[in-house]
Amino acid sequence: MTASRLGWIIFAIALLLALLQIHTLALNHDVASFLLEARALANGRVLYQTFADFNMPANAWLGLFSLHMAQVLGITLAAAHQAVLFVGVAACAGLLGRILQQITQGKGTVA
């Protein structure tokens, strides 16, 4: 078994364990606030004008994406948001694994 194959197996196991764990996690107050802001934006309110917020707008925009996914899939907003975050983290981890694989094989460098 090559190191590359072993790395992908470990990555798959980690994803599976994270997927099994995700259902036990509750949203904290910050995430709940972002999702409420997303609903306000979807209802026509304007960020920083019709309601106060001190966070970056990307927090509300990500919540808008999760809100849309919840409506399309017919699931709760919390479940959709957790799924969106899980897919994002999994994609970043996979990309990092691919970059590290190329570096260890001498096909790239870290600048």
Side-chain angles (χ1 to χ4, degrees), residues 37-51:
E37 292 169 4
R39 284 192 183 187
L41 289 173
N43 291 332
R45 296 185 66 189
V46 179
L47 186 62
Y48 306 120
Q49 290 181 3
T50 59
F51 62 95

Side-chain angles (χ1 to χ4, degrees), residues 24 27 42 45 89 99 106:
T24 63
L27 298 179
R45 296 185 66 189
V89 168
I99 291 169

